[in-house]
Amino acid sequence: VTGEPVLRQRVVEPATGRLLRPFFERYTPTVARDLLGRVLVRVVEGRRLSGVIVETEAYRGARDPASHAYRGRTARNEVMYGEAGYTYVYFAYGFHHMLNLTTEAAGTPGAVLIRAIEPLEGASIMMANRGVGSLETAANGPGNLTKALRIDRSLNGEDTVTSRRLFIENGAKTAKVAVSSRVGIAVGASYKWRFYVEGSRFLSKGRPSAGEAQNP
DNA sequence: GTTCCGATTTTCT
DNA sequence: GAAAATCGGAACA
């Protein structure tokens, strides 16, 4: 059982290029990999801020010890158990908001952490939101990205399939994909569930967690 | 180049 | 009360 259903339904809205629900309703690592090269769009005060997704991580429910859903359903992770294609935004380390997109069928918890984007539209606004002068550091990490795009917990539970404030567009999808273990986790490092665009200048600084108890 | 550490809040034990 | 899906600057090599 691979858990990867074949896509039979329309995944992209032809008129707008927006990703639709069936795109997100798949096996979480598949969604994470397939999000590379797509365009994350945030609308603030009528302006589009956008960027090409270049780095993601998959977090899957009950059998993934690094997932917020590992210990079951709570008020915080509730949205991970709902329909796919919604935002899961939480506050971490007392400083940073993290943007995730929910995945899998309703009842099966899963989410993809968006870790970095290459700015496309509104790059100067994103740099100003961050207080930096270089394009490369405007959204190169999950905490930096949410600051650049003005994303906080008021956007938790947003339906990206219908939202006018936050959604994903099809994009060019030309990326050469590389894989590693995830960043900043203490458990579950043996899962190679971080996906990134090989050679991109816009990746996060985080180092993948050392694979614990790696087999010789 | 690398490692260490502090900032600050939410969440769950 | 401790840990956390982070970041950037300081210290050291």
Side-chain angles (χ1 to χ4, degrees), chain A residues 1-65:
Chain A
V1 180
T2 66
E4 298 196 26
V6 175
L7 282 173
R8 293 188 186 82
Q9 301 170 74
R10 180 173 285 171
V11 160
V12 176
E13 171 60 48
T16 64
R18 181 186 296 223
L19 298 188
L20 298 176
R21 188 97 49 219
F23 179 94
F24 300 99
E25 288 176 330
R26 296 175 289 162
Y27 181 62
T28 305
T30 301
V31 177
R33 183 191 290 105
D34 203 2
L35 277 169
L36 296 179
R38 316 288 183 181
V39 177
L40 174 65
V41 182
R42 166 83 169 116
V43 178
V44 179
E45 291 163 6
R47 281 200 166 91
R48 279 171 60 105
L49 310 179
S50 74
V52 179
I53 297 171
V54 296
E55 182 176 342
T56 61
E57 284 176 357
Y59 289 88
R60 207 158 181 266
R63 294 200 302 283
D64 174 7

Side-chain angles (χ1 to χ4, degrees), chain A residues 68-86:
Chain A
H68 284 176
Y70 185 57
R71 294 176 205 288
R73 203 161 180 151
T74 66
R76 177 173 63 163
N77 67 25
E78 179 66 29
V79 70
M80 289 180 75
Y81 289 81
E83 289 269 326
Y86 283 69

Side-chain angles (χ1 to χ4, degrees), chain A residues 149-168:
Chain A
L149 298 180
R150 285 213 233 162
I151 292 168
D152 61 24
R153 279 181 305 173
S154 70
L155 278 118
N156 185 46
E158 187 91 351
D159 182 1
T160 68
V161 175
T162 59
S163 174
R164 293 197 292 191
R165 303 192 289 171
L166 186 63
F167 47 90
I168 318 294

Side-chain angles (χ1 to χ4, degrees), chain A residues 68-129:
Chain A
H68 284 176
Y70 185 57
R71 294 176 205 288
R73 203 161 180 151
T74 66
R76 177 173 63 163
N77 67 25
E78 179 66 29
V79 70
M80 289 180 75
Y81 289 81
E83 289 269 326
Y86 283 69
T87 59
Y88 171 39
V89 181
Y90 68 91
F91 193 56
Y93 296 105
F95 293 87
H96 306 295
H97 298 276
M98 301 283 137
L99 171 65
N100 299 253
L101 303 172
T102 63
T103 57
E104 314 251 359
T108 302
V112 174
L113 173 66
I114 309 298
R115 290 191 55 89
I117 63 173
E118 175 175 345
L120 214 56
E121 300 162 275
S124 59
I125 296 173
M126 293 166 62
M127 286 161 58
N129 287 344

